[in-house]
Amino acid sequence: MKKQAIHFAILSFSVLLGLAACQGGDSHDKGELNATHKQLVDDVTDMLFNSLISTGNYEQILVMADSLENEGKLNEAEANRWRGDAHARMGHHRTAEFYWNKVIAGGCDGGNYDEYVNTAASLSNLLVNKGDYEGGLRATLPAIQEIEARGDTVSVGYAILLESLGRCQLNLGRTDEASKSYDKAYACYLQNAKSTPNSDALRHALIDAHNTSLSYLTTHYYAEALIWTTRADTLVERLSYLPGASTQFIELVRARLHIQRATALQGLGRQAEAKAAYEAYQASSYGKSDQGRIDATRYLQVAGRYQEAADNFRDLDRILNEWEIDLTPKNIASYLFPKYRANALAGRKDSAIAIGLNILNLMDSTIVELQNNDAAELATIYETQQKETVIAQQQARIAEQEASQSRILLIGTAAALLLIVGFFVTYLLYRQRAQRALATTNEQLQKAYDQLKAATEAKELLEDELHIARNIQMSMLPSHFPDHEGLDIFALMTPAKDVGGDLYDFLLSGSQLYFCIGDVSGKGVPASLFMAQAVRLFRTLATQQMMPSDIATKMNNALVQNNEQGMFITMFIGLVDLTTGHLDFCNAGHNPPVLFEQVWKGSFLQMESNAPIGLWPELKFVGEEIDNIKDRPLFLYTDGLNEAENKYEEQFGDEQLINIFRKEYASGSHQLIEHMQAAVEKHRDGAEPSDDLTMMYIHIR
């Protein structure tokens, strides 16, 4: 059906041209007719190609370009421009550059001025978008000079090229030149809007101001971004009064300008104005959409509101999937890098690590895919060059034949012999190269097999050793809990990997109960070794009957020594008198425990903020106390509980933790921890745990 549609389109095209050619008249009329004929060709061609573009039939554009060029309906420059457009839309950027460079190399003489200008604009935009700013300069400057030499400085093509030039100069650090280019482009757009007072012309000027503001924001030139946002505001108001202006488009641009203004103002230290602009953005329908929440993260990160930024990125995977966005290196940098930064600066270390690993995996596969695509495109370009060479040789032979039949026969025979010899030489060289490549491949395969075998054996050995290490680590944590009258205590540690960095411990001496819970930075073997040191130190110092704050201070002084990896541990250390219920405690950067309250049936304990243990030497940790925790259950945990994530990266959360505690606090230590663990498993819904999970429950009656 597609081929039939194309044949019908070409037939219609030919009929229209025939009708134009059949008109009679004198020489003056014929001159006008030729101009009309050319305009008709251009209009019908654009109509056909734009129809194929709107339906996404890019392969058919290539077929159409070949057909119309062979029939003489398109010249070489016109055909190559459409070929470049088709390949660019298919993501074949190298091939698009190849065809567009051929148009540029042909110059703008011979009626190809429009093709030259439009192609230069397309090529410069492609190069700028992929970050080749030097290449963008090389594409834009000659075209701009040609336009200025012709005095055509009010055309939209001139404005587009100036805008691309400004982006190149800005990203190359040439800010003064960029400012001049942007101003000239803006003036050109305004001149077009003045001479053509309709919504389309003003819309182009508005889009230019909006994009220029965004370029300055991206490069952190906040003062300049604010100037262009103000210009865009003025144009939005003008556009809203014109008949036929799209209300939906106006509201969309207004919302985007709110967030751009908020970001620029925040970058300039004008926090109150920035907050007001952000609140206006949030009130818009666009600000509440998926795209709007993603766009808001730029402002939130400039404002240091990393928790909110990380929350906005929570549904990013679903959003990218719904938008059908391919994770190219550019899109990874645009979406996943900011998501990683937001989570890292928000202190969500496990989420940041998971995102970082995802980025590494995506970059590996993307690099391989790009290499394959580059190879395929180079092969296509090479094949095209070969075809063009053969065509050129054929045309040369035909021209020579008209002059001398005998000479062309001799040349043709010689050319044929050269082609045959060249073919055999090429074939032999290719075969030798292929044989060498095959031998190299076999060697590489054998080497890879040997490496895989060795890696498998090493993996099996490592798994055995990790299993032993897990047993040793778990044996360090108490599994039997004291049977003491009036004391209900239970704890559980579940590592995310074979070995982990969480810990809990307790020591009962008479009526004095020492206890602790902790979370080492990182996971795996290094964390487990650091955890072992922490457990040993806690037991040693608790045996000496020190206060919790002194235990934390002594542990810090010991663990900070020779800590070249910069590891640390958050801990909650407590000492409770089982007779009086008096609790002394020290919190070293750990999650706040939940303590039973008669009114609220449990809330997070308000505590002094101490640093984690092991970060800095000579710290003096501050202790606190509660007069009596009898009949007030205490629940301690690590962030593997409240930060447990499901496959949508949604966290278990503090609210759900509190709700379960309030419901189950009276059921006993075993039952509460079992309910909490089951709730976490249900929330994860099959997702792999990203962190160790440790819980402890203490109830004194």
Side-chain angles (χ1 to χ4, degrees):
M1 291 297 291
K2 288 182 179 179
K3 289 184 177 179
Q4 291 175 353
I6 289 175
H7 291 159
F8 177 75
I10 295 174
L11 178 61
S12 302
F13 186 84
S14 301
V15 170
L16 288 171
L17 296 185
L19 289 173
C22 289
Q23 303 296 321
D26 59 22
S27 59
H28 176 74
D29 292 336
K30 287 180 180 179
E32 293 181 353
L33 182 61
N34 287 335
T36 303
H37 180 273
K38 180 64 171 66
Q39 185 62 49
L40 180 61
V41 171
D42 294 341
D43 291 344
V44 175
T45 301
D46 290 344
M47 178 186 69
L48 292 174
F49 281 118
N50 288 327
S51 175
L52 292 173
I53 288 173
S54 65
T55 56
N57 292 329
Y58 307 128
E59 293 284 355
Q60 302 304 328
I61 292 176
L62 300 176
V63 176
M64 179 77 80
D66 290 342
S67 299
L68 294 180
E69 184 181 17
N70 290 337
E71 294 181 15
K73 306 296 192 302
L74 290 179
N75 62 34
E76 182 182 3
E78 292 168 330
N80 282 333
R81 179 171 74 85
W82 286 111
R83 290 184 184 112
D85 286 353
H87 281 291
R89 292 174 185 276
M90 290 189 289
H92 305 159
H93 297 152
R94 190 188 294 271
T95 310
E97 287 183 53
F98 168 73
Y99 282 114
W100 284 339
N101 277 320
K102 288 172 67 67
V103 178
I104 299 297
C108 56
D109 296 329
N112 288 327
Y113 174 68
D114 289 339
E115 303 301 327
Y116 176 84
V117 172
N118 292 334
T119 300
S122 298
L123 178 59
S124 65
N125 188 58
L126 183 147
L127 294 170
V128 169
N129 284 338
K130 76 173 189 176
D132 184 4
Y133 304 116
E134 293 286 355
L137 287 178
R138 289 193 295 270
T140 53
L141 286 173
I144 289 173
Q145 292 167 359
E146 180 65 33
I147 292 173
E148 291 175 344
R150 291 175 178 245
D152 187 20
T153 55
V154 293
S155 65
V156 173
Y158 180 60
I160 292 173
L161 285 166
L162 285 170
E163 187 179 353
S164 293
L165 177 62
R167 289 177 64 190
C168 293
Q169 292 165 332
L170 183 62
N171 283 278
L172 291 171
R174 296 153 66 171
T175 53
D176 291 340
E177 296 175 47
S179 178
K180 293 176 183 178
S181 298
Y182 280 137
D183 285 340
K184 288 173 69 176
Y186 184 61
C188 184
Y189 279 120
L190 289 182
Q191 182 63 33
N192 272 278
K194 183 178 180 180
S195 59
T196 312
N198 58 42
S199 60
D200 286 342
L202 197 57
R203 182 184 176 119
H204 289 314
L206 171 58
I207 292 173
D208 168 67
H210 171 277
N211 291 343
T212 303
S213 170
L214 193 59
S215 295
Y216 276 118
L217 279 181
T218 303
T219 49
H220 309 298
Y221 290 100
Y222 298 117
E224 291 80 0
L226 193 58
I227 292 171
W228 282 92
T229 303
T230 303
R231 289 179 178 178
D233 277 333
T234 303
L235 294 176
V236 168
E237 292 305 313
R238 287 178 56 187
L239 182 62
S240 66
Y241 290 110
L242 287 180
S246 168
T247 303
Q248 184 178 5
F249 173 77
I250 290 172
E251 292 304 317
L252 171 64
V253 175
R254 277 177 174 159
R256 287 181 170 173
L257 291 175
H258 280 317
I259 196 63
Q260 289 182 19
R261 185 183 304 103
T263 307
L265 288 167
Q266 184 66 42
L268 293 170
R270 295 158 63 177
Q271 289 91 345
E273 296 172 80
K275 184 180 178 182
Y278 179 60
E279 289 172 351
Y281 175 73
Q282 285 185 303
S284 69
S285 57
Y286 179 76
K288 299 172 184 175
S289 67
D290 286 339
Q291 177 68 67
R293 294 178 72 241
I294 298 301
D295 289 352
T297 57
R298 186 193 301 273
Y299 160 75
L300 291 172
Q301 295 200 57
V302 173
R305 296 162 66 171
Y306 301 113
Q307 295 283 357
E308 295 173 67
D311 289 341
N312 280 14
F313 277 124
R314 183 169 292 165
D315 295 329
L316 180 62
D317 291 342
R318 172 186 62 78
I319 293 169
L320 295 180
N321 185 56
E322 290 177 358
W323 293 344
E324 297 182 352
I325 291 181
D326 294 330
L327 287 174
T328 61
K330 179 182 177 182
N331 288 333
I332 290 172
S334 298
Y335 292 105
L336 296 187
F337 283 8
K339 179 179 180 181
Y340 170 81
R341 183 173 182 269
N343 279 272
L345 294 176
R348 300 179 182 178
K349 58 187 179 189
D350 297 314
S351 296
I353 290 170
I355 297 164
L357 292 174
N358 186 33
I359 289 172
L360 291 176
N361 292 333
L362 286 171
M363 290 300 291
D364 284 342
S365 59
T366 301
I367 289 170
V368 172
E369 183 178 353
L370 287 175
Q371 289 173 339
N372 293 338
N373 290 343
D374 280 349
E377 287 199 62
L378 286 171
T380 301
I381 293 170
Y382 177 75
E383 182 181 356
T384 302
Q385 290 173 327
Q386 292 294 94
K387 288 180 180 179
E388 292 176 348
T389 300
V390 172
I391 291 172
Q393 290 174 344
Q394 291 174 345
Q395 291 174 341
R397 288 200 299 271
I398 292 172
E400 192 74 20
Q401 187 178 21
E402 293 175 355
S404 173
Q405 186 67 33
S406 59
R407 183 183 172 198
I408 195 60
L409 179 62
L410 179 61
I411 293 174
T413 303
L417 289 173
L418 286 174
L419 286 173
I420 293 171
V421 172
F423 170 78
F424 279 110
V425 170
T426 303
Y427 172 75
L428 290 173
L429 291 173
Y430 175 80
R431 183 174 179 181
Q432 290 176 357
R433 190 181 300 114
Q435 288 174 340
R436 288 196 300 269
L438 180 60
T440 302
T441 301
N442 288 336
E443 292 177 4
Q444 292 174 341
L445 287 173
Q446 183 61 45
K447 183 178 180 181
Y449 173 78
D450 293 339
Q451 291 174 342
L452 178 61
K453 182 179 179 182
T456 302
E457 293 173 351
K459 181 175 180 294
E460 292 173 351
L461 178 60
L462 177 61
E463 288 175 349
D464 291 339
E465 293 177 347
L466 286 175
H467 183 69
I468 295 171
R470 178 188 175 93
N471 292 337
I472 294 173
Q473 182 186 23
M474 297 305 291
S475 68
M476 296 179 65
L477 303 179
S479 57
H480 299 288
F481 298 89
D483 184 12
H484 189 282
E485 184 177 356
L487 173 63
D488 181 14
I489 180 172
F490 183 70
L492 182 68
M493 194 277 275
T494 306
K497 297 184 177 181
D498 289 296
V499 290
D502 277 8
L503 64 88
Y504 70 85
D505 200 3
F506 59 84
L507 178 68
L508 181 61
S509 176
S511 63
Q512 303 293 307
L513 175 67
Y514 283 89
F515 63 92
C516 73
I517 189 169
D519 183 2
V520 177
S521 60
K523 292 181 286 293
V525 175
S528 70
L529 295 174
F530 201 81
M531 164 265 188
Q533 293 184 68
V535 169
R536 176 182 57 80
L537 286 168
F538 169 78
R539 290 181 182 173
T540 300
L541 297 171
T543 303
Q544 299 175 22
Q545 298 185 339
M546 292 184 175
M547 294 297 289
S549 58
D550 294 329
I551 292 175
T553 301
K554 294 286 186 181
M555 288 182 66
N556 182 71
N557 292 337
L559 292 175
V560 79
Q561 295 179 19
N562 301 319
N563 186 9
E564 297 179 357
Q565 301 300 319
M567 300 188 72
F568 60 88
I569 180 172
T570 65
M571 288 189 75
F572 184 95
I573 303 172
L575 167 61
V576 60
D577 188 316
L578 301 183
T579 303
T580 64
H582 184 86
L583 173 66
D584 289 288
F585 67 92
C586 177
N587 184 61
H590 197 73
N591 301 75
V594 180
L595 180 65
F596 176 86
E597 298 290 349
Q598 188 62 42
V599 177
W600 299 108
K601 294 185 178 180
S603 61
F604 293 108
L605 186 61
Q606 300 298 316
M607 302 173 297
E608 183 74 28
S609 176
N610 286 299
I613 294 172
L615 278 179
W616 298 288
E618 304 302 328
L619 286 181
K620 180 67 175 177
F621 286 78
V622 178
E624 300 176 76
E625 61 181 333
I626 297 176
D627 288 339
N628 189 358
I629 65 167
K630 277 193 173 184
D631 293 320
R632 301 175 67 190
L634 182 67
F635 178 67
L636 304 98
Y637 59 94
T638 60
D639 58 12
L641 174 60
N642 59 326
E643 294 184 10
E645 293 185 344
N646 59 19
K647 57 187 176 183
Y648 302 111
E649 297 184 11
E650 297 169 338
Q651 295 187 346
F652 186 78
D654 294 339
E655 183 178 352
Q656 189 171 186
L657 186 160
I658 285 288
N659 288 338
I660 294 174
F661 177 84
R662 290 172 180 171
K663 182 179 178 182
E664 303 292 342
Y665 74 92
S667 60
S669 58
H670 283 74
Q671 289 82 354
L672 182 135
I673 287 179
E674 287 175 358
H675 277 102
M676 201 72 75
Q677 188 175 36
V680 170
E681 291 298 326
K682 182 179 179 181
H683 173 78
R684 263 203 301 259
D685 192 23
E688 289 294 324
S690 59
D691 200 357
D692 307 327
L693 170 60
T694 304
M695 296 176 281
M696 175 182 282
Y697 177 94
I698 300 173
H699 187 184
I700 303 170
R701 294 181 177 85

